[in-house]
Amino acid sequence: MASLPRYELPPLPYSYNALEPYIIEEIMKLHHQKHHNTYVVGANAALEKLEKYLKGEVESLDVRAVLRDYSFNYAGHIMHTIFWPNMAPPGKGGGKPGGALADAIDKSFGSFDSFKKLFSQVAKTVEGVGWAFLGVDPLSGSLVVGQIEKHNVLMTAGLVPILVIDVWEHAYYLQYKNDRASYVENWWNVVNWDDVAKRYEKAVGGSKPLYIP
Ligand code: MN
């Protein structure tokens, strides 16, 4: 019997007001409870349609439309699932990374400051709605940056995101209005480098990059 996965909205690892003053409680609550939840529901709905088709409960299926929905909503779900723990209250968050992650950033981008400047540009220049991310390239094991429109458009297949910033208007408009640049600059104060370092270590944890036979 066919059984495709289902997803659940993960709890935030801190309270809704924990990222103030940089991201206000009202944004965090709506963003998590309404926006993120919509992607969870949408991904599950797409999988349910596929499952009903597999079980013969419906005779025909517009599989292309269903997979389009799945791509958008699943990507939305996974990006937010990385985004929340990528942040921590001011004091715990912010500053600079250390250890192997800091070395990898220096190796790929020259210095932390060069990385920060580039990543900020990537985030500020997303056309419309989307994301900027720092990812591990499993072919080389190196760090690269990427830009995503919506949740899934322009995503480079295979890259493993370890640090992401949401630049949809719902992530900042209630506090920053149209000033995305200030949101991006302030966001650095709540980046949880411990979480990013853990993701980096998992992504490069094997003895060889993932896609090298
Ligand atoms: Mn969002």
mmCIF file of all heavy atoms in Angstrom, residues 79 83 86 118-126 129-135 145-150 161-168 180 184 187:
data_model
loop_
_atom_site.group_PDB
_atom_site.id
_atom_site.type_symbol
_atom_site.label_atom_id
_atom_site.label_comp_id
_atom_site.label_asym_id
_atom_site.label_seq_id
_atom_site.Cartn_x
_atom_site.Cartn_y
_atom_site.Cartn_z
ATOM 1 N N MET A 79 13.136 25.292 3.807
ATOM 2 C CA MET A 79 13.907 26.531 4.007
ATOM 3 C C MET A 79 13.576 27.169 5.358
ATOM 4 O O MET A 79 14.473 27.612 6.085
ATOM 5 C CB MET A 79 13.648 27.517 2.869
ATOM 6 C CG MET A 79 14.194 27.082 1.514
ATOM 7 S SD MET A 79 15.979 26.772 1.481
ATOM 8 C CE MET A 79 16.598 28.459 1.512
ATOM 9 N N PHE A 83 15.792 27.985 8.604
ATOM 10 C CA PHE A 83 15.854 29.416 8.982
ATOM 11 C C PHE A 83 15.690 29.628 10.494
ATOM 12 O O PHE A 83 16.465 30.376 11.098
ATOM 13 C CB PHE A 83 14.758 30.158 8.214
ATOM 14 C CG PHE A 83 14.693 31.648 8.402
ATOM 15 C CD1 PHE A 83 15.811 32.454 8.218
ATOM 16 C CD2 PHE A 83 13.478 32.273 8.717
ATOM 17 C CE1 PHE A 83 15.728 33.839 8.353
ATOM 18 C CE2 PHE A 83 13.386 33.651 8.852
ATOM 19 C CZ PHE A 83 14.511 34.434 8.673
ATOM 20 N N ASN A 86 18.667 28.642 12.562
ATOM 21 C CA ASN A 86 19.802 29.449 12.107
ATOM 22 C C ASN A 86 19.897 30.769 12.866
ATOM 23 O O ASN A 86 20.856 31.511 12.714
ATOM 24 C CB ASN A 86 19.662 29.779 10.609
ATOM 25 C CG ASN A 86 20.413 28.881 9.666
ATOM 26 O OD1 ASN A 86 20.343 29.093 8.457
ATOM 27 N ND2 ASN A 86 21.130 27.894 10.160
ATOM 28 N N LEU A 118 29.403 39.970 0.645
ATOM 29 C CA LEU A 118 28.827 39.273 -0.511
ATOM 30 C C LEU A 118 27.441 38.723 -0.183
ATOM 31 O O LEU A 118 26.488 38.909 -0.944
ATOM 32 C CB LEU A 118 29.759 38.131 -0.949
ATOM 33 C CG LEU A 118 29.216 37.222 -2.061
ATOM 34 C CD1 LEU A 118 29.055 37.992 -3.373
ATOM 35 C CD2 LEU A 118 30.143 36.013 -2.277
ATOM 36 N N PHE A 119 27.334 38.057 0.961
ATOM 37 C CA PHE A 119 26.064 37.425 1.337
ATOM 38 C C PHE A 119 24.967 38.483 1.496
ATOM 39 O O PHE A 119 23.826 38.269 1.087
ATOM 40 C CB PHE A 119 26.248 36.632 2.633
ATOM 41 C CG PHE A 119 25.090 35.717 2.967
ATOM 42 C CD1 PHE A 119 25.045 34.425 2.466
ATOM 43 C CD2 PHE A 119 24.058 36.149 3.794
ATOM 44 C CE1 PHE A 119 23.985 33.569 2.772
ATOM 45 C CE2 PHE A 119 22.996 35.306 4.107
ATOM 46 C CZ PHE A 119 22.957 34.008 3.594
ATOM 47 N N SER A 120 25.318 39.623 2.081
ATOM 48 C CA SER A 120 24.347 40.713 2.234
ATOM 49 C C SER A 120 23.866 41.181 0.865
ATOM 50 O O SER A 120 22.667 41.420 0.661
ATOM 51 C CB SER A 120 24.964 41.890 2.989
ATOM 52 O OG SER A 120 25.279 41.518 4.310
ATOM 53 N N GLN A 121 24.795 41.288 -0.083
ATOM 54 C CA GLN A 121 24.422 41.690 -1.444
ATOM 55 C C GLN A 121 23.493 40.668 -2.087
ATOM 56 O O GLN A 121 22.535 41.016 -2.772
ATOM 57 C CB GLN A 121 25.678 41.837 -2.322
ATOM 58 C CG GLN A 121 26.353 43.172 -2.220
ATOM 59 C CD GLN A 121 25.401 44.314 -2.550
ATOM 60 O OE1 GLN A 121 24.966 45.031 -1.661
ATOM 61 N NE2 GLN A 121 25.023 44.482 -3.808
ATOM 62 N N VAL A 122 23.814 39.398 -1.865
ATOM 63 C CA VAL A 122 22.985 38.323 -2.422
ATOM 64 C C VAL A 122 21.558 38.465 -1.889
ATOM 65 O O VAL A 122 20.584 38.379 -2.634
ATOM 66 C CB VAL A 122 23.572 36.932 -2.068
ATOM 67 C CG1 VAL A 122 22.633 35.814 -2.516
ATOM 68 C CG2 VAL A 122 24.944 36.733 -2.706
ATOM 69 N N ALA A 123 21.436 38.722 -0.576
ATOM 70 C CA ALA A 123 20.109 38.818 0.057
ATOM 71 C C ALA A 123 19.356 40.066 -0.408
ATOM 72 O O ALA A 123 18.162 40.021 -0.675
ATOM 73 C CB ALA A 123 20.262 38.826 1.575
ATOM 74 N N LYS A 124 20.081 41.173 -0.494
ATOM 75 C CA LYS A 124 19.415 42.445 -0.832
ATOM 76 C C LYS A 124 18.948 42.469 -2.282
ATOM 77 O O LYS A 124 18.047 43.223 -2.624
ATOM 78 C CB LYS A 124 20.379 43.617 -0.587
ATOM 79 C CG LYS A 124 20.642 43.887 0.891
ATOM 80 C CD LYS A 124 21.763 44.914 1.067
ATOM 81 C CE LYS A 124 22.217 44.987 2.514
ATOM 82 N NZ LYS A 124 23.390 45.882 2.679
ATOM 83 N N THR A 125 19.570 41.684 -3.145
ATOM 84 C CA THR A 125 19.279 41.785 -4.582
ATOM 85 C C THR A 125 18.378 40.675 -5.117
ATOM 86 O O THR A 125 18.172 40.594 -6.321
ATOM 87 C CB THR A 125 20.587 41.808 -5.410
ATOM 88 O OG1 THR A 125 21.311 40.599 -5.155
ATOM 89 C CG2 THR A 125 21.445 43.011 -5.077
ATOM 90 N N VAL A 126 17.853 39.833 -4.244
ATOM 91 C CA VAL A 126 16.889 38.826 -4.719
ATOM 92 C C VAL A 126 15.736 39.561 -5.395
ATOM 93 O O VAL A 126 15.167 40.497 -4.823
ATOM 94 C CB VAL A 126 16.352 37.972 -3.551
ATOM 95 C CG1 VAL A 126 15.192 37.087 -4.011
ATOM 96 C CG2 VAL A 126 17.458 37.124 -2.943
ATOM 97 N N VAL A 129 10.546 37.929 -4.345
ATOM 98 C CA VAL A 129 10.596 37.240 -3.056
ATOM 99 C C VAL A 129 11.538 36.049 -3.146
ATOM 100 O O VAL A 129 11.669 35.433 -4.198
ATOM 101 C CB VAL A 129 9.196 36.756 -2.620
ATOM 102 C CG1 VAL A 129 8.280 37.942 -2.411
ATOM 103 C CG2 VAL A 129 8.600 35.784 -3.628
ATOM 104 N N GLY A 130 12.205 35.730 -2.040
ATOM 105 C CA GLY A 130 13.105 34.585 -2.094
ATOM 106 C C GLY A 130 14.045 34.511 -0.915
ATOM 107 O O GLY A 130 13.735 34.984 0.183
ATOM 108 N N TRP A 131 15.196 33.936 -1.161
ATOM 109 C CA TRP A 131 16.153 33.599 -0.116
ATOM 110 C C TRP A 131 17.579 33.811 -0.604
ATOM 111 O O TRP A 131 17.852 33.680 -1.796
ATOM 112 C CB TRP A 131 16.040 32.106 0.239
ATOM 113 C CG TRP A 131 14.717 31.681 0.763
ATOM 114 C CD1 TRP A 131 13.585 31.431 0.028
ATOM 115 C CD2 TRP A 131 14.378 31.434 2.136
ATOM 116 N NE1 TRP A 131 12.570 31.045 0.874
ATOM 117 C CE2 TRP A 131 13.026 31.036 2.156
ATOM 118 C CE3 TRP A 131 15.090 31.494 3.332
ATOM 119 C CZ2 TRP A 131 12.364 30.704 3.348
ATOM 120 C CZ3 TRP A 131 14.434 31.168 4.506
ATOM 121 C CH2 TRP A 131 13.089 30.786 4.514
ATOM 122 N N ALA A 132 18.487 34.057 0.341
ATOM 123 C CA ALA A 132 19.920 33.913 0.093
ATOM 124 C C ALA A 132 20.387 32.765 0.970
ATOM 125 O O ALA A 132 19.843 32.558 2.056
ATOM 126 C CB ALA A 132 20.665 35.184 0.475
ATOM 127 N N PHE A 133 21.356 32.019 0.488
ATOM 128 C CA PHE A 133 21.880 30.951 1.344
ATOM 129 C C PHE A 133 23.368 30.740 1.159
ATOM 130 O O PHE A 133 23.940 31.030 0.112
ATOM 131 C CB PHE A 133 21.120 29.633 1.127
ATOM 132 C CG PHE A 133 21.394 28.952 -0.190
ATOM 133 C CD1 PHE A 133 22.376 27.970 -0.285
ATOM 134 C CD2 PHE A 133 20.676 29.288 -1.326
ATOM 135 C CE1 PHE A 133 22.638 27.332 -1.499
ATOM 136 C CE2 PHE A 133 20.925 28.658 -2.548
ATOM 137 C CZ PHE A 133 21.912 27.675 -2.631
ATOM 138 N N LEU A 134 23.976 30.233 2.242
ATOM 139 C CA LEU A 134 25.342 29.712 2.200
ATOM 140 C C LEU A 134 25.192 28.206 2.161
ATOM 141 O O LEU A 134 24.442 27.635 2.964
ATOM 142 C CB LEU A 134 26.095 30.134 3.467
ATOM 143 C CG LEU A 134 27.479 29.500 3.689
ATOM 144 C CD1 LEU A 134 28.482 29.978 2.640
ATOM 145 C CD2 LEU A 134 27.992 29.822 5.105
ATOM 146 N N GLY A 135 25.860 27.566 1.200
ATOM 147 C CA GLY A 135 25.676 26.129 1.067
ATOM 148 C C GLY A 135 26.989 25.400 0.899
ATOM 149 O O GLY A 135 28.010 25.993 0.536
ATOM 150 N N VAL A 145 27.771 30.485 -2.240
ATOM 151 C CA VAL A 145 26.536 31.198 -1.901
ATOM 152 C C VAL A 145 25.534 31.019 -3.036
ATOM 153 O O VAL A 145 25.915 30.754 -4.174
ATOM 154 C CB VAL A 145 26.756 32.713 -1.652
ATOM 155 C CG1 VAL A 145 27.497 32.934 -0.358
ATOM 156 C CG2 VAL A 145 27.454 33.378 -2.822
ATOM 157 N N GLY A 146 24.251 31.156 -2.706
ATOM 158 C CA GLY A 146 23.213 31.008 -3.714
ATOM 159 C C GLY A 146 22.054 31.940 -3.451
ATOM 160 O O GLY A 146 21.895 32.463 -2.341
ATOM 161 N N GLN A 147 21.274 32.143 -4.501
ATOM 162 C CA GLN A 147 20.091 33.001 -4.427
ATOM 163 C C GLN A 147 18.911 32.193 -4.948
ATOM 164 O O GLN A 147 19.038 31.490 -5.942
ATOM 165 C CB GLN A 147 20.332 34.217 -5.321
ATOM 166 C CG GLN A 147 19.462 35.403 -5.039
ATOM 167 C CD GLN A 147 19.860 36.607 -5.883
ATOM 168 O OE1 GLN A 147 19.909 36.522 -7.103
ATOM 169 N NE2 GLN A 147 20.130 37.721 -5.246
ATOM 170 N N ILE A 148 17.791 32.293 -4.256
ATOM 171 C CA ILE A 148 16.592 31.547 -4.657
ATOM 172 C C ILE A 148 15.443 32.532 -4.817
ATOM 173 O O ILE A 148 15.257 33.397 -3.962
ATOM 174 C CB ILE A 148 16.209 30.502 -3.583
ATOM 175 C CG1 ILE A 148 17.349 29.494 -3.376
ATOM 176 C CG2 ILE A 148 14.932 29.765 -3.976
ATOM 177 C CD1 ILE A 148 17.123 28.567 -2.187
ATOM 178 N N GLU A 149 14.692 32.414 -5.894
ATOM 179 C CA GLU A 149 13.447 33.166 -6.026
ATOM 180 C C GLU A 149 12.310 32.256 -5.571
ATOM 181 O O GLU A 149 12.358 31.046 -5.768
ATOM 182 C CB GLU A 149 13.252 33.640 -7.468
ATOM 183 C CG GLU A 149 14.273 34.717 -7.843
ATOM 184 C CD GLU A 149 14.173 35.176 -9.286
ATOM 185 O OE1 GLU A 149 13.235 34.768 -9.989
ATOM 186 O OE2 GLU A 149 15.052 35.938 -9.715
ATOM 187 N N LYS A 150 11.244 32.879 -5.012
ATOM 188 C CA LYS A 150 10.188 32.110 -4.331
ATOM 189 C C LYS A 150 10.886 31.220 -3.294
ATOM 190 O O LYS A 150 11.682 31.719 -2.505
ATOM 191 C CB LYS A 150 9.356 31.313 -5.317
ATOM 192 C CG LYS A 150 8.607 32.201 -6.315
ATOM 193 C CD LYS A 150 7.646 31.348 -7.120
ATOM 194 C CE LYS A 150 6.975 32.115 -8.222
ATOM 195 N NZ LYS A 150 6.117 31.245 -9.039
ATOM 196 N N PRO A 161 22.066 23.787 1.811
ATOM 197 C CA PRO A 161 22.044 25.068 2.536
ATOM 198 C C PRO A 161 22.342 24.864 4.026
ATOM 199 O O PRO A 161 21.775 23.973 4.651
ATOM 200 C CB PRO A 161 20.607 25.580 2.357
ATOM 201 C CG PRO A 161 19.963 24.690 1.352
ATOM 202 C CD PRO A 161 20.721 23.408 1.356
ATOM 203 N N ILE A 162 23.235 25.686 4.575
ATOM 204 C CA ILE A 162 23.527 25.606 6.018
ATOM 205 C C ILE A 162 23.206 26.927 6.729
ATOM 206 O O ILE A 162 23.060 26.948 7.947
ATOM 207 C CB ILE A 162 24.990 25.181 6.294
ATOM 208 C CG1 ILE A 162 25.995 26.174 5.702
ATOM 209 C CG2 ILE A 162 25.244 23.772 5.763
ATOM 210 C CD1 ILE A 162 27.438 25.916 6.142
ATOM 211 N N LEU A 163 23.107 28.018 5.973
ATOM 212 C CA LEU A 163 22.696 29.317 6.525
ATOM 213 C C LEU A 163 21.784 29.971 5.499
ATOM 214 O O LEU A 163 22.165 30.115 4.340
ATOM 215 C CB LEU A 163 23.914 30.212 6.773
ATOM 216 C CG LEU A 163 23.592 31.648 7.205
ATOM 217 C CD1 LEU A 163 22.921 31.695 8.569
ATOM 218 C CD2 LEU A 163 24.869 32.509 7.227
ATOM 219 N N VAL A 164 20.567 30.331 5.948
ATOM 220 C CA VAL A 164 19.598 30.899 5.007
ATOM 221 C C VAL A 164 18.973 32.157 5.598
ATOM 222 O O VAL A 164 18.825 32.270 6.814
ATOM 223 C CB VAL A 164 18.484 29.881 4.660
ATOM 224 C CG1 VAL A 164 19.079 28.586 4.135
ATOM 225 C CG2 VAL A 164 17.565 29.594 5.848
ATOM 226 N N ILE A 165 18.635 33.096 4.731
ATOM 227 C CA ILE A 165 17.839 34.259 5.170
ATOM 228 C C ILE A 165 16.640 34.425 4.243
ATOM 229 O O ILE A 165 16.785 34.409 3.019
ATOM 230 C CB ILE A 165 18.671 35.567 5.258
ATOM 231 C CG1 ILE A 165 17.757 36.744 5.665
ATOM 232 C CG2 ILE A 165 19.404 35.858 3.963
ATOM 233 C CD1 ILE A 165 18.500 38.042 5.974
ATOM 234 N N ASP A 166 15.490 34.554 4.859
ATOM 235 C CA ASP A 166 14.227 34.751 4.160
ATOM 236 C C ASP A 166 14.105 36.226 3.822
ATOM 237 O O ASP A 166 14.135 37.077 4.717
ATOM 238 C CB ASP A 166 13.090 34.311 5.106
ATOM 239 C CG ASP A 166 11.723 34.262 4.435
ATOM 240 O OD1 ASP A 166 11.536 34.926 3.402
ATOM 241 O OD2 ASP A 166 10.851 33.548 4.974
ATOM 242 N N VAL A 167 13.987 36.557 2.537
ATOM 243 C CA VAL A 167 13.771 37.964 2.156
ATOM 244 C C VAL A 167 12.422 38.164 1.466
ATOM 245 O O VAL A 167 12.249 39.098 0.680
ATOM 246 C CB VAL A 167 14.945 38.541 1.320
ATOM 247 C CG1 VAL A 167 16.206 38.626 2.169
ATOM 248 C CG2 VAL A 167 15.220 37.740 0.066
ATOM 249 N N TRP A 168 11.472 37.274 1.743
ATOM 250 C CA TRP A 168 10.081 37.567 1.379
ATOM 251 C C TRP A 168 9.650 38.773 2.226
ATOM 252 O O TRP A 168 10.102 38.922 3.373
ATOM 253 C CB TRP A 168 9.168 36.378 1.707
ATOM 254 C CG TRP A 168 9.214 35.223 0.758
ATOM 255 C CD1 TRP A 168 10.315 34.501 0.404
ATOM 256 C CD2 TRP A 168 8.100 34.646 0.065
ATOM 257 N NE1 TRP A 168 9.950 33.513 -0.472
ATOM 258 C CE2 TRP A 168 8.597 33.582 -0.695
ATOM 259 C CE3 TRP A 168 6.736 34.928 0.020
ATOM 260 C CZ2 TRP A 168 7.789 32.792 -1.500
ATOM 261 C CZ3 TRP A 168 5.918 34.137 -0.780
ATOM 262 C CH2 TRP A 168 6.444 33.088 -1.540
ATOM 263 N N ARG A 180 14.491 46.567 2.943
ATOM 264 C CA ARG A 180 15.063 45.224 3.078
ATOM 265 C C ARG A 180 16.523 45.280 3.539
ATOM 266 O O ARG A 180 16.991 44.434 4.292
ATOM 267 C CB ARG A 180 14.966 44.459 1.759
ATOM 268 C CG ARG A 180 15.407 43.001 1.898
ATOM 269 C CD ARG A 180 15.658 42.313 0.566
ATOM 270 N NE ARG A 180 14.450 42.043 -0.186
ATOM 271 C CZ ARG A 180 14.452 41.459 -1.391
ATOM 272 N NH1 ARG A 180 15.597 41.108 -1.963
ATOM 273 N NH2 ARG A 180 13.313 41.235 -2.030
ATOM 274 N N VAL A 184 18.335 43.090 6.507
ATOM 275 C CA VAL A 184 19.478 42.192 6.268
ATOM 276 C C VAL A 184 20.639 42.563 7.196
ATOM 277 O O VAL A 184 21.248 41.692 7.828
ATOM 278 C CB VAL A 184 19.910 42.237 4.782
ATOM 279 C CG1 VAL A 184 21.211 41.473 4.569
ATOM 280 C CG2 VAL A 184 18.807 41.674 3.878
ATOM 281 N N TRP A 187 19.826 41.505 10.745
ATOM 282 C CA TRP A 187 19.717 40.046 10.874
ATOM 283 C C TRP A 187 21.042 39.411 11.324
ATOM 284 O O TRP A 187 21.048 38.420 12.049
ATOM 285 C CB TRP A 187 19.248 39.474 9.525
ATOM 286 C CG TRP A 187 19.286 37.996 9.427
ATOM 287 C CD1 TRP A 187 18.373 37.102 9.906
ATOM 288 C CD2 TRP A 187 20.289 37.204 8.772
ATOM 289 N NE1 TRP A 187 18.753 35.817 9.594
ATOM 290 C CE2 TRP A 187 19.926 35.858 8.905
ATOM 291 C CE3 TRP A 187 21.479 37.518 8.083
ATOM 292 C CZ2 TRP A 187 20.697 34.807 8.385
ATOM 293 C CZ3 TRP A 187 22.239 36.494 7.559
ATOM 294 C CH2 TRP A 187 21.846 35.154 7.720
#
